[in-house]
Amino acid sequence: PLLIDTDPGVDDALALLMAFQSDQHQLLGLCIAAGNVGLQHTCANALKLCEVAGINVPVYQGCAQPLVFAAEDAAYVHGLDGFGDIGYKPAQGYLETEHAALAIIREANQHAGKLLLVMLGPLTNLALAVRIDPTLPSKIARLVVMGGAVTGKGNTNISAEFNIGFDPESAVIVFESFPEIELLDWEAVLRHGLKHKDIERWLALEHPVAAFYQKISLKTRQWSEGRRGEYWHSADALAMLVALCPEYVIDKYKHYVYVETQGKHSRGATVVDWADRMGKPAQTEIMHQVKQDQFERLIQNALGWSI
Ligand code: BDR
Ligand code: CA
Protein backbone atom coordinates (compact mmCIF):
# COMPACT_ATOMS: atom_id res chain seq x y z
CA PRO A 1 0.00 0.00 0.00
CA LEU A 2 1.27 3.39 -1.11
CA LEU A 3 0.12 6.81 0.08
CA ILE A 4 1.55 9.98 -1.47
CA ASP A 5 1.58 13.47 0.02
CA THR A 6 2.24 16.03 -2.68
CA ASP A 7 1.97 19.68 -3.77
CA PRO A 8 1.55 19.43 -7.57
CA GLY A 9 3.73 21.05 -9.11
CA VAL A 10 5.27 19.95 -12.37
CA ASP A 11 7.81 17.51 -10.94
CA ASP A 12 5.22 16.16 -8.50
CA ALA A 13 3.06 15.38 -11.54
CA LEU A 14 5.81 13.29 -13.14
CA ALA A 15 6.34 11.42 -9.89
CA LEU A 16 2.61 10.73 -9.64
CA LEU A 17 2.52 9.43 -13.20
CA MET A 18 5.34 7.05 -12.26
CA ALA A 19 3.34 5.83 -9.27
CA PHE A 20 0.21 5.41 -11.41
CA GLN A 21 2.20 2.98 -13.59
CA SER A 22 3.45 0.80 -10.75
CA ASP A 23 2.00 -2.69 -10.55
CA GLN A 24 3.97 -3.40 -7.36
CA HIS A 25 1.91 -1.02 -5.24
CA GLN A 26 -1.70 -0.36 -4.38
CA LEU A 27 -2.14 3.42 -4.53
CA LEU A 28 -4.42 4.35 -1.63
CA GLY A 29 -4.76 8.04 -2.38
CA LEU A 30 -3.17 11.45 -2.65
CA CYS A 31 -2.80 13.82 0.29
CA ILE A 32 -2.41 17.39 -0.85
CA ALA A 33 -0.19 20.05 0.66
CA ALA A 34 0.34 23.72 -0.06
CA GLY A 35 3.84 24.46 -1.28
CA ASN A 36 4.73 25.03 -4.89
CA VAL A 37 1.53 27.08 -5.12
CA GLY A 38 -1.53 27.58 -2.94
CA LEU A 39 -3.67 24.68 -1.78
CA GLN A 40 -6.59 25.42 -4.11
CA HIS A 41 -4.29 25.03 -7.09
CA THR A 42 -2.41 21.98 -5.79
CA CYS A 43 -5.75 20.24 -5.12
CA ALA A 44 -7.15 21.16 -8.54
CA ASN A 45 -3.93 19.99 -10.21
CA ALA A 46 -4.01 16.62 -8.44
CA LEU A 47 -7.60 16.04 -9.54
CA LYS A 48 -6.79 17.08 -13.10
CA LEU A 49 -3.77 14.79 -13.33
CA CYS A 50 -5.85 11.84 -12.11
CA GLU A 51 -8.47 12.63 -14.73
CA VAL A 52 -5.95 12.88 -17.57
CA ALA A 53 -4.27 9.63 -16.51
CA GLY A 54 -7.61 7.86 -15.96
CA ILE A 55 -6.82 7.13 -12.31
CA ASN A 56 -9.55 6.99 -9.71
CA VAL A 57 -8.10 7.44 -6.21
CA PRO A 58 -9.25 9.57 -3.28
CA VAL A 59 -7.68 13.02 -3.06
CA TYR A 60 -7.47 14.54 0.44
CA GLN A 61 -7.06 18.26 1.03
CA GLY A 62 -4.44 19.13 3.62
CA CYS A 63 -3.07 22.22 5.32
CA ALA A 64 -3.22 25.53 3.48
CA GLN A 65 -0.30 27.01 5.41
CA PRO A 66 2.90 25.86 7.10
CA LEU A 67 2.34 24.96 10.76
CA VAL A 68 3.83 28.14 12.22
CA PHE A 69 5.08 30.80 9.78
CA ALA A 70 3.75 31.75 6.35
CA ALA A 71 6.17 31.09 3.50
CA GLU A 72 6.69 32.04 -0.14
CA ASP A 73 5.58 29.60 -2.80
CA ALA A 74 7.47 28.51 -5.95
CA ALA A 75 5.08 29.82 -8.59
CA TYR A 76 8.06 31.37 -10.38
CA VAL A 77 9.20 27.81 -11.19
CA HIS A 78 5.92 25.96 -11.74
CA GLY A 79 3.61 28.72 -13.05
CA LEU A 80 1.04 30.72 -11.10
CA ASP A 81 -1.31 27.71 -11.00
CA GLY A 82 1.54 25.22 -10.48
CA PHE A 83 0.83 23.51 -13.80
CA GLY A 84 2.37 25.97 -16.26
CA ASP A 85 -0.71 28.22 -16.60
CA ILE A 86 -2.05 26.35 -19.63
CA GLY A 87 -5.65 27.14 -18.71
CA TYR A 88 -6.82 23.55 -18.48
CA LYS A 89 -10.50 22.75 -17.95
CA PRO A 90 -11.02 21.89 -14.25
CA ALA A 91 -11.43 18.20 -13.50
CA GLN A 92 -14.85 16.78 -12.75
CA GLY A 93 -13.57 14.77 -9.78
CA TYR A 94 -13.97 15.95 -6.22
CA LEU A 95 -11.98 16.18 -3.02
CA GLU A 96 -12.69 13.91 -0.07
CA THR A 97 -14.06 15.62 3.02
CA GLU A 98 -11.53 13.93 5.33
CA HIS A 99 -8.44 16.04 6.07
CA ALA A 100 -5.15 14.77 4.63
CA ALA A 101 -3.55 14.49 8.08
CA LEU A 102 -6.42 12.31 9.27
CA ALA A 103 -6.27 10.22 6.11
CA ILE A 104 -2.58 9.52 6.79
CA ILE A 105 -3.42 8.36 10.32
CA ARG A 106 -6.32 6.20 9.18
CA GLU A 107 -4.38 4.54 6.36
CA ALA A 108 -1.40 3.96 8.66
CA ASN A 109 -3.70 2.20 11.12
CA GLN A 110 -5.39 0.16 8.41
CA HIS A 111 -2.05 -0.89 6.90
CA ALA A 112 0.08 -0.85 10.03
CA GLY A 113 3.61 -2.09 9.36
CA LYS A 114 3.05 -2.16 5.60
CA LEU A 115 2.44 1.38 4.42
CA LEU A 116 4.86 3.13 2.06
CA LEU A 117 4.43 6.87 2.62
CA VAL A 118 6.03 9.19 0.08
CA MET A 119 6.36 12.90 0.83
CA LEU A 120 6.87 15.09 -2.25
CA GLY A 121 6.10 18.48 -0.74
CA PRO A 122 6.44 20.39 2.53
CA LEU A 123 5.99 18.12 5.53
CA THR A 124 3.05 20.02 7.05
CA ASN A 125 0.35 17.33 6.78
CA LEU A 126 2.63 14.64 8.17
CA ALA A 127 3.82 16.80 11.06
CA LEU A 128 0.22 17.57 11.98
CA ALA A 129 -0.63 13.87 11.77
CA VAL A 130 2.26 13.04 14.14
CA ARG A 131 1.05 15.67 16.61
CA ILE A 132 -2.46 14.22 16.49
CA ASP A 133 -1.21 10.63 16.81
CA PRO A 134 2.33 10.30 18.19
CA THR A 135 2.24 6.53 17.57
CA LEU A 136 2.06 7.12 13.81
CA PRO A 137 5.80 6.69 13.03
CA SER A 138 5.80 3.15 14.45
CA LYS A 139 3.08 2.12 11.98
CA ILE A 140 4.74 3.28 8.77
CA ALA A 141 6.88 0.67 6.99
CA ARG A 142 8.82 3.11 4.81
CA LEU A 143 8.90 6.89 4.76
CA VAL A 144 10.47 8.45 1.67
CA VAL A 145 11.02 12.20 1.74
CA MET A 146 12.03 14.51 -1.09
CA GLY A 147 13.75 17.35 0.70
CA GLY A 148 16.85 18.93 2.10
CA ALA A 149 20.28 19.84 0.82
CA VAL A 150 22.71 17.68 2.71
CA THR A 151 25.84 19.77 2.29
CA GLY A 152 24.06 23.10 2.37
CA LYS A 153 23.70 23.73 -1.36
CA GLY A 154 20.02 24.64 -1.27
CA ASN A 155 17.66 25.86 -3.95
CA THR A 156 15.70 28.52 -2.03
CA ASN A 157 17.94 30.43 0.32
CA ILE A 158 21.65 29.60 0.47
CA SER A 159 21.31 26.46 2.50
CA ALA A 160 17.68 25.33 2.37
CA GLU A 161 15.87 23.19 -0.14
CA PHE A 162 12.30 24.28 -0.93
CA ASN A 163 10.22 21.56 0.78
CA ILE A 164 12.10 21.87 4.07
CA GLY A 165 12.58 25.64 3.80
CA PHE A 166 8.84 26.19 3.24
CA ASP A 167 7.94 24.66 6.60
CA PRO A 168 11.01 23.97 8.76
CA GLU A 169 8.97 23.52 11.96
CA SER A 170 7.07 20.63 10.38
CA ALA A 171 10.34 19.17 9.15
CA VAL A 172 11.69 19.24 12.71
CA ILE A 173 8.67 17.30 13.93
CA VAL A 174 9.10 14.67 11.21
CA PHE A 175 12.88 14.29 11.55
CA GLU A 176 12.62 14.10 15.35
CA SER A 177 9.82 11.55 15.41
CA PHE A 178 10.53 9.03 12.64
CA PRO A 179 13.20 6.43 13.40
CA GLU A 180 13.87 5.69 9.71
CA ILE A 181 13.67 8.18 6.86
CA GLU A 182 14.77 7.63 3.26
CA LEU A 183 15.85 11.05 2.08
CA LEU A 184 16.31 12.15 -1.50
CA ASP A 185 17.83 15.62 -1.30
CA TRP A 186 18.22 18.42 -3.82
CA GLU A 187 21.94 17.79 -4.29
CA ALA A 188 21.19 14.21 -5.38
CA VAL A 189 18.68 15.66 -7.82
CA LEU A 190 21.41 17.76 -9.39
CA ARG A 191 23.50 14.59 -9.93
CA HIS A 192 20.64 13.02 -11.93
CA GLY A 193 19.83 15.51 -14.65
CA LEU A 194 17.74 14.69 -17.70
CA LYS A 195 18.79 16.07 -21.06
CA HIS A 196 16.26 18.56 -22.42
CA LYS A 197 16.64 16.91 -25.82
CA ASP A 198 15.68 13.50 -24.40
CA ILE A 199 12.69 14.87 -22.50
CA GLU A 200 11.46 16.64 -25.62
CA ARG A 201 11.68 13.37 -27.55
CA TRP A 202 9.83 11.44 -24.85
CA LEU A 203 7.11 14.09 -24.70
CA ALA A 204 6.55 13.99 -28.44
CA LEU A 205 4.71 10.66 -28.11
CA GLU A 206 1.10 10.71 -29.28
CA HIS A 207 -0.44 9.83 -25.96
CA PRO A 208 -2.79 11.92 -23.80
CA VAL A 209 -0.51 11.77 -20.75
CA ALA A 210 2.62 12.77 -22.70
CA ALA A 211 0.69 15.55 -24.46
CA PHE A 212 -0.64 16.95 -21.17
CA TYR A 213 2.75 16.73 -19.49
CA GLN A 214 4.40 18.40 -22.47
CA LYS A 215 2.08 21.39 -22.00
CA ILE A 216 2.22 21.76 -18.23
CA SER A 217 6.00 21.36 -18.07
CA LEU A 218 6.90 23.68 -20.96
CA LYS A 219 7.28 26.90 -18.93
CA THR A 220 9.38 25.36 -16.21
CA ARG A 221 11.57 23.51 -18.71
CA GLN A 222 12.25 26.77 -20.50
CA TRP A 223 12.91 28.54 -17.19
CA SER A 224 15.33 25.80 -16.22
CA GLU A 225 17.13 25.72 -19.58
CA GLY A 226 17.81 29.42 -19.29
CA ARG A 227 19.37 29.00 -15.83
CA ARG A 228 20.79 25.50 -15.60
CA GLY A 229 21.60 24.67 -19.21
CA GLU A 230 21.53 21.29 -20.92
CA TYR A 231 19.92 19.30 -18.10
CA TRP A 232 16.45 19.47 -16.57
CA HIS A 233 15.90 18.21 -13.03
CA SER A 234 12.83 16.48 -11.66
CA ALA A 235 13.24 16.19 -7.90
CA ASP A 236 10.01 14.40 -7.05
CA ALA A 237 10.38 11.93 -9.92
CA LEU A 238 13.76 10.90 -8.52
CA ALA A 239 12.27 10.51 -5.04
CA MET A 240 9.55 8.34 -6.55
CA LEU A 241 12.18 6.07 -8.09
CA VAL A 242 13.66 5.60 -4.60
CA ALA A 243 10.20 4.79 -3.29
CA LEU A 244 9.13 2.39 -6.04
CA CYS A 245 12.47 0.76 -6.83
CA PRO A 246 14.89 1.01 -3.88
CA GLU A 247 17.00 -1.65 -5.61
CA TYR A 248 18.09 1.03 -8.10
CA VAL A 249 19.83 3.05 -5.38
CA ILE A 250 23.55 2.35 -5.77
CA ASP A 251 25.03 4.60 -3.11
CA LYS A 252 23.65 5.89 0.19
CA TYR A 253 24.76 7.01 3.66
CA LYS A 254 23.06 6.77 7.05
CA HIS A 255 23.40 9.61 9.56
CA TYR A 256 21.48 11.76 12.00
CA VAL A 257 19.90 14.77 10.29
CA TYR A 258 18.88 17.88 12.19
CA VAL A 259 16.62 20.57 10.73
CA GLU A 260 17.65 24.15 11.50
CA THR A 261 14.83 26.62 12.18
CA GLN A 262 16.97 29.61 13.17
CA GLY A 263 19.46 31.79 11.42
CA LYS A 264 19.47 34.43 8.74
CA HIS A 265 20.88 32.11 6.09
CA SER A 266 20.35 28.70 7.63
CA ARG A 267 16.61 28.48 8.39
CA GLY A 268 15.40 25.27 6.77
CA ALA A 269 18.88 23.77 6.38
CA THR A 270 19.25 20.03 6.86
CA VAL A 271 22.35 19.67 9.00
CA VAL A 272 23.90 16.21 8.67
CA ASP A 273 26.03 14.75 11.46
CA TRP A 274 28.47 13.34 8.89
CA ALA A 275 31.01 12.21 11.51
CA ASP A 276 28.35 10.83 13.88
CA ARG A 277 29.62 12.98 16.74
CA MET A 278 26.29 14.00 18.24
CA GLY A 279 25.53 10.59 19.67
CA LYS A 280 22.05 10.66 18.17
CA PRO A 281 20.52 7.65 16.39
CA ALA A 282 21.19 7.87 12.65
CA GLN A 283 17.58 8.19 11.50
CA THR A 284 18.16 9.19 7.88
CA GLU A 285 19.37 7.25 4.87
CA ILE A 286 20.67 9.82 2.42
CA MET A 287 20.35 8.60 -1.16
CA HIS A 288 23.43 9.60 -3.10
CA GLN A 289 23.30 7.85 -6.46
CA VAL A 290 20.73 5.82 -8.38
CA LYS A 291 20.82 3.96 -11.70
CA GLN A 292 20.31 6.77 -14.20
CA ASP A 293 19.22 4.46 -17.01
CA GLN A 294 16.46 2.98 -14.85
CA PHE A 295 15.36 6.46 -13.77
CA GLU A 296 15.00 7.46 -17.41
CA ARG A 297 13.20 4.22 -18.24
CA LEU A 298 10.62 4.76 -15.47
CA ILE A 299 9.99 8.31 -16.68
CA GLN A 300 9.43 7.15 -20.23
CA ASN A 301 6.99 4.50 -19.01
CA ALA A 302 5.19 7.14 -16.97
CA LEU A 303 4.74 9.18 -20.14
CA GLY A 304 3.18 6.30 -22.06
CA TRP A 305 6.16 4.52 -23.61
CA SER A 306 6.39 0.74 -23.19
CA ILE A 307 10.04 0.16 -22.35
C1 BDR B 1 11.06 20.34 -4.39
O1 BDR B 1 10.46 21.63 -4.29
C2 BDR B 1 9.36 21.71 -5.15
O2 BDR B 1 9.40 22.90 -5.86
C3 BDR B 1 9.39 20.51 -6.02
O3 BDR B 1 8.08 20.09 -6.35
C4 BDR B 1 10.13 19.49 -5.23
O4 BDR B 1 9.26 18.76 -4.39
C5 BDR B 1 12.46 20.48 -4.92
O5 BDR B 1 13.23 21.27 -4.08
CA1 CA C 1 6.85 18.79 -4.75
Side-chain angles (χ1 to χ4, degrees), residues 4-33:
I4 303 172
D5 190 290
T6 172
D7 61 333
V10 175
D11 62 330
D12 297 76
L14 189 53
L16 294 175
L17 293 173
M18 287 164 68
F20 294 165
Q21 283 296 316
S22 171
D23 49 16
Q24 307 287 311
H25 295 277
Q26 175 202 2
L27 181 58
L28 301 174
L30 305 179
C31 295
I32 308 301

mmCIF file of all heavy atoms in Angstrom, residues 4-33:
data_model
loop_
_atom_site.group_PDB
_atom_site.id
_atom_site.type_symbol
_atom_site.label_atom_id
_atom_site.label_comp_id
_atom_site.label_asym_id
_atom_site.label_seq_id
_atom_site.Cartn_x
_atom_site.Cartn_y
_atom_site.Cartn_z
ATOM 1 N N ILE A 4 0.645 8.910 -1.030
ATOM 2 C CA ILE A 4 1.548 9.977 -1.470
ATOM 3 C C ILE A 4 1.019 11.321 -0.985
ATOM 4 O O ILE A 4 -0.157 11.640 -1.154
ATOM 5 C CB ILE A 4 1.648 9.993 -3.017
ATOM 6 C CG1 ILE A 4 2.112 8.614 -3.533
ATOM 7 C CG2 ILE A 4 2.623 11.080 -3.471
ATOM 8 C CD1 ILE A 4 2.059 8.482 -5.050
ATOM 9 N N ASP A 5 1.912 12.094 -0.374
ATOM 10 C CA ASP A 5 1.580 13.467 0.020
ATOM 11 C C ASP A 5 2.345 14.388 -0.922
ATOM 12 O O ASP A 5 3.555 14.263 -1.080
ATOM 13 C CB ASP A 5 1.991 13.696 1.485
ATOM 14 C CG ASP A 5 1.457 15.002 2.025
ATOM 15 O OD1 ASP A 5 1.945 16.070 1.585
ATOM 16 O OD2 ASP A 5 0.555 14.977 2.883
ATOM 17 N N THR A 6 1.641 15.326 -1.541
ATOM 18 C CA THR A 6 2.235 16.029 -2.677
ATOM 19 C C THR A 6 1.658 17.431 -2.837
ATOM 20 O O THR A 6 0.549 17.711 -2.384
ATOM 21 C CB THR A 6 1.992 15.181 -3.961
ATOM 22 O OG1 THR A 6 2.377 15.913 -5.112
ATOM 23 C CG2 THR A 6 0.532 14.775 -4.121
ATOM 24 N N ASP A 7 2.422 18.308 -3.523
ATOM 25 C CA ASP A 7 1.968 19.685 -3.774
ATOM 26 C C ASP A 7 2.090 19.996 -5.274
ATOM 27 O O ASP A 7 2.871 20.840 -5.674
ATOM 28 C CB ASP A 7 2.786 20.696 -2.941
ATOM 29 C CG ASP A 7 4.268 20.672 -3.274
ATOM 30 O OD1 ASP A 7 4.783 19.617 -3.731
ATOM 31 O OD2 ASP A 7 4.934 21.711 -3.098
ATOM 32 N N PRO A 8 1.301 19.322 -6.127
ATOM 33 C CA PRO A 8 1.553 19.425 -7.566
ATOM 34 C C PRO A 8 1.353 20.831 -8.119
ATOM 35 O O PRO A 8 0.314 21.422 -7.925
ATOM 36 C CB PRO A 8 0.480 18.490 -8.174
ATOM 37 C CG PRO A 8 -0.184 17.792 -7.049
ATOM 38 C CD PRO A 8 0.121 18.531 -5.803
ATOM 39 N N GLY A 9 2.330 21.322 -8.797
ATOM 40 C CA GLY A 9 3.730 21.049 -9.106
ATOM 41 C C GLY A 9 4.041 20.122 -10.269
ATOM 42 O O GLY A 9 3.477 19.044 -10.405
ATOM 43 N N VAL A 10 4.932 20.661 -11.144
ATOM 44 C CA VAL A 10 5.269 19.954 -12.371
ATOM 45 C C VAL A 10 6.068 18.682 -12.085
ATOM 46 O O VAL A 10 5.797 17.640 -12.693
ATOM 47 C CB VAL A 10 6.042 20.896 -13.334
ATOM 48 C CG1 VAL A 10 6.508 20.144 -14.562
ATOM 49 C CG2 VAL A 10 5.152 22.068 -13.761
ATOM 50 N N ASP A 11 7.046 18.738 -11.187
ATOM 51 C CA ASP A 11 7.813 17.510 -10.943
ATOM 52 C C ASP A 11 7.010 16.525 -10.098
ATOM 53 O O ASP A 11 7.134 15.313 -10.246
ATOM 54 C CB ASP A 11 9.193 17.788 -10.337
ATOM 55 C CG ASP A 11 9.136 18.471 -8.991
ATOM 56 O OD1 ASP A 11 8.186 19.235 -8.729
ATOM 57 O OD2 ASP A 11 10.059 18.240 -8.179
ATOM 58 N N ASP A 12 6.136 17.044 -9.221
ATOM 59 C CA ASP A 12 5.217 16.156 -8.505
ATOM 60 C C ASP A 12 4.397 15.354 -9.521
ATOM 61 O O ASP A 12 4.171 14.152 -9.341
ATOM 62 C CB ASP A 12 4.231 16.966 -7.648
ATOM 63 C CG ASP A 12 4.911 17.770 -6.566
ATOM 64 O OD1 ASP A 12 5.500 18.818 -6.906
ATOM 65 O OD2 ASP A 12 4.881 17.366 -5.410
ATOM 66 N N ALA A 13 3.933 16.050 -10.561
ATOM 67 C CA ALA A 13 3.059 15.382 -11.544
ATOM 68 C C ALA A 13 3.786 14.207 -12.192
ATOM 69 O O ALA A 13 3.202 13.133 -12.365
ATOM 70 C CB ALA A 13 2.611 16.387 -12.605
ATOM 71 N N LEU A 14 5.058 14.387 -12.521
ATOM 72 C CA LEU A 14 5.807 13.291 -13.144
ATOM 73 C C LEU A 14 5.955 12.128 -12.160
ATOM 74 O O LEU A 14 5.802 10.956 -12.531
ATOM 75 C CB LEU A 14 7.179 13.799 -13.611
ATOM 76 C CG LEU A 14 7.994 12.840 -14.468
ATOM 77 C CD1 LEU A 14 7.210 12.324 -15.667
ATOM 78 C CD2 LEU A 14 9.293 13.517 -14.940
ATOM 79 N N ALA A 15 6.223 12.470 -10.913
ATOM 80 C CA ALA A 15 6.339 11.423 -9.885
ATOM 81 C C ALA A 15 5.017 10.660 -9.742
ATOM 82 O O ALA A 15 5.002 9.428 -9.635
ATOM 83 C CB ALA A 15 6.731 12.054 -8.550
ATOM 84 N N LEU A 16 3.917 11.386 -9.764
ATOM 85 C CA LEU A 16 2.609 10.730 -9.636
ATOM 86 C C LEU A 16 2.341 9.818 -10.835
ATOM 87 O O LEU A 16 1.839 8.706 -10.679
ATOM 88 C CB LEU A 16 1.496 11.773 -9.493
ATOM 89 C CG LEU A 16 1.543 12.607 -8.209
ATOM 90 C CD1 LEU A 16 0.460 13.684 -8.225
ATOM 91 C CD2 LEU A 16 1.371 11.726 -6.969
ATOM 92 N N LEU A 17 2.713 10.282 -12.013
ATOM 93 C CA LEU A 17 2.521 9.434 -13.204
ATOM 94 C C LEU A 17 3.343 8.152 -13.079
ATOM 95 O O LEU A 17 2.900 7.079 -13.495
ATOM 96 C CB LEU A 17 2.915 10.209 -14.472
ATOM 97 C CG LEU A 17 2.012 11.402 -14.825
ATOM 98 C CD1 LEU A 17 2.593 12.195 -15.993
ATOM 99 C CD2 LEU A 17 0.584 10.939 -15.157
ATOM 100 N N MET A 18 4.524 8.258 -12.497
ATOM 101 C CA MET A 18 5.337 7.050 -12.263
ATOM 102 C C MET A 18 4.606 6.098 -11.314
ATOM 103 O O MET A 18 4.548 4.890 -11.531
ATOM 104 C CB MET A 18 6.701 7.430 -11.661
ATOM 105 C CG MET A 18 7.645 8.083 -12.655
ATOM 106 S SD MET A 18 9.036 8.919 -11.839
ATOM 107 C CE MET A 18 9.950 7.533 -11.180
ATOM 108 N N ALA A 19 4.047 6.663 -10.255
ATOM 109 C CA ALA A 19 3.340 5.829 -9.268
ATOM 110 C C ALA A 19 2.101 5.192 -9.896
ATOM 111 O O ALA A 19 1.775 4.034 -9.604
ATOM 112 C CB ALA A 19 2.956 6.667 -8.055
ATOM 113 N N PHE A 20 1.415 5.941 -10.758
ATOM 114 C CA PHE A 20 0.210 5.408 -11.411
ATOM 115 C C PHE A 20 0.544 4.154 -12.236
ATOM 116 O O PHE A 20 -0.298 3.289 -12.452
ATOM 117 C CB PHE A 20 -0.431 6.444 -12.342
ATOM 118 C CG PHE A 20 -1.003 7.661 -11.644
ATOM 119 C CD1 PHE A 20 -1.321 8.811 -12.382
ATOM 120 C CD2 PHE A 20 -1.226 7.679 -10.276
ATOM 121 C CE1 PHE A 20 -1.857 9.941 -11.764
ATOM 122 C CE2 PHE A 20 -1.754 8.808 -9.649
ATOM 123 C CZ PHE A 20 -2.071 9.937 -10.393
ATOM 124 N N GLN A 21 1.779 4.102 -12.734
ATOM 125 C CA GLN A 21 2.197 2.979 -13.590
ATOM 126 C C GLN A 21 2.620 1.749 -12.806
ATOM 127 O O GLN A 21 2.806 0.684 -13.379
ATOM 128 C CB GLN A 21 3.416 3.405 -14.429
ATOM 129 C CG GLN A 21 3.096 4.295 -15.595
ATOM 130 C CD GLN A 21 2.227 3.589 -16.603
ATOM 131 O OE1 GLN A 21 2.468 2.445 -16.940
ATOM 132 N NE2 GLN A 21 1.172 4.251 -17.046
ATOM 133 N N SER A 22 2.848 1.889 -11.514
ATOM 134 C CA SER A 22 3.447 0.795 -10.754
ATOM 135 C C SER A 22 2.458 -0.340 -10.513
ATOM 136 O O SER A 22 1.364 -0.120 -9.995
ATOM 137 C CB SER A 22 3.956 1.322 -9.405
ATOM 138 O OG SER A 22 4.335 0.225 -8.607
ATOM 139 N N ASP A 23 2.872 -1.555 -10.875
ATOM 140 C CA ASP A 23 2.002 -2.690 -10.555
ATOM 141 C C ASP A 23 2.453 -3.381 -9.263
ATOM 142 O O ASP A 23 1.907 -4.395 -8.870
ATOM 143 C CB ASP A 23 1.926 -3.679 -11.732
ATOM 144 C CG ASP A 23 3.301 -4.031 -12.255
ATOM 145 O OD1 ASP A 23 4.289 -3.767 -11.556
ATOM 146 O OD2 ASP A 23 3.386 -4.586 -13.371
ATOM 147 N N GLN A 24 3.467 -2.827 -8.612
ATOM 148 C CA GLN A 24 3.965 -3.398 -7.356
ATOM 149 C C GLN A 24 3.222 -2.819 -6.150
ATOM 150 O O GLN A 24 3.381 -3.305 -5.037
ATOM 151 C CB GLN A 24 5.459 -3.058 -7.165
ATOM 152 C CG GLN A 24 6.341 -3.431 -8.326
ATOM 153 C CD GLN A 24 6.536 -4.928 -8.406
ATOM 154 O OE1 GLN A 24 6.851 -5.555 -7.410
ATOM 155 N NE2 GLN A 24 6.298 -5.501 -9.576
ATOM 156 N N HIS A 25 2.503 -1.739 -6.363
ATOM 157 C CA HIS A 25 1.907 -1.022 -5.237
ATOM 158 C C HIS A 25 0.417 -0.768 -5.458
ATOM 159 O O HIS A 25 -0.018 -0.555 -6.576
ATOM 160 C CB HIS A 25 2.608 0.321 -5.021
ATOM 161 C CG HIS A 25 4.033 0.171 -4.624
ATOM 162 N ND1 HIS A 25 4.417 -0.054 -3.326
ATOM 163 C CD2 HIS A 25 5.156 0.167 -5.359
ATOM 164 C CE1 HIS A 25 5.727 -0.180 -3.274
ATOM 165 N NE2 HIS A 25 6.203 -0.049 -4.497
ATOM 166 N N GLN A 26 -0.291 -0.747 -4.332
ATOM 167 C CA GLN A 26 -1.701 -0.360 -4.379
ATOM 168 C C GLN A 26 -1.749 1.108 -3.944
ATOM 169 O O GLN A 26 -1.428 1.422 -2.780
ATOM 170 C CB GLN A 26 -2.476 -1.242 -3.395
ATOM 171 C CG GLN A 26 -3.919 -0.876 -3.239
ATOM 172 C CD GLN A 26 -4.505 -1.381 -1.916
ATOM 173 O OE1 GLN A 26 -3.800 -1.979 -1.089
ATOM 174 N NE2 GLN A 26 -5.773 -1.112 -1.712
ATOM 175 N N LEU A 27 -2.099 1.998 -4.865
ATOM 176 C CA LEU A 27 -2.141 3.419 -4.525
ATOM 177 C C LEU A 27 -3.426 3.712 -3.750
ATOM 178 O O LEU A 27 -4.530 3.568 -4.278
ATOM 179 C CB LEU A 27 -2.061 4.261 -5.812
ATOM 180 C CG LEU A 27 -2.063 5.771 -5.613
ATOM 181 C CD1 LEU A 27 -0.908 6.240 -4.726
ATOM 182 C CD2 LEU A 27 -2.018 6.489 -6.966
ATOM 183 N N LEU A 28 -3.260 4.138 -2.500
ATOM 184 C CA LEU A 28 -4.425 4.349 -1.626
ATOM 185 C C LEU A 28 -5.051 5.722 -1.831
ATOM 186 O O LEU A 28 -6.246 5.892 -1.588
ATOM 187 C CB LEU A 28 -4.012 4.213 -0.165
ATOM 188 C CG LEU A 28 -3.394 2.883 0.257
ATOM 189 C CD1 LEU A 28 -2.914 2.965 1.696
ATOM 190 C CD2 LEU A 28 -4.404 1.756 0.090
ATOM 191 N N GLY A 29 -4.217 6.696 -2.212
ATOM 192 C CA GLY A 29 -4.756 8.036 -2.376
ATOM 193 C C GLY A 29 -3.661 9.078 -2.395
ATOM 194 O O GLY A 29 -2.480 8.767 -2.226
ATOM 195 N N LEU A 30 -4.104 10.325 -2.612
ATOM 196 C CA LEU A 30 -3.174 11.448 -2.647
ATOM 197 C C LEU A 30 -3.564 12.436 -1.551
ATOM 198 O O LEU A 30 -4.723 12.854 -1.475
ATOM 199 C CB LEU A 30 -3.238 12.149 -4.005
ATOM 200 C CG LEU A 30 -3.017 11.268 -5.250
ATOM 201 C CD1 LEU A 30 -3.127 12.122 -6.514
ATOM 202 C CD2 LEU A 30 -1.671 10.559 -5.185
ATOM 203 N N CYS A 31 -2.604 12.786 -0.720
ATOM 204 C CA CYS A 31 -2.804 13.820 0.286
ATOM 205 C C CYS A 31 -2.165 15.090 -0.259
ATOM 206 O O CYS A 31 -1.047 15.046 -0.767
ATOM 207 C CB CYS A 31 -2.123 13.416 1.596
ATOM 208 S SG CYS A 31 -2.880 11.951 2.304
ATOM 209 N N ILE A 32 -2.879 16.196 -0.154
ATOM 210 C CA ILE A 32 -2.410 17.390 -0.848
ATOM 211 C C ILE A 32 -1.957 18.458 0.143
ATOM 212 O O ILE A 32 -2.649 18.775 1.111
ATOM 213 C CB ILE A 32 -3.512 17.961 -1.774
ATOM 214 C CG1 ILE A 32 -4.058 16.853 -2.696
ATOM 215 C CG2 ILE A 32 -2.968 19.132 -2.590
ATOM 216 C CD1 ILE A 32 -3.060 16.184 -3.595
ATOM 217 N N ALA A 33 -0.777 18.993 -0.160
ATOM 218 C CA ALA A 33 -0.187 20.052 0.659
ATOM 219 C C ALA A 33 -0.134 21.347 -0.137
ATOM 220 O O ALA A 33 -0.172 21.333 -1.369
ATOM 221 C CB ALA A 33 1.230 19.643 1.061
#
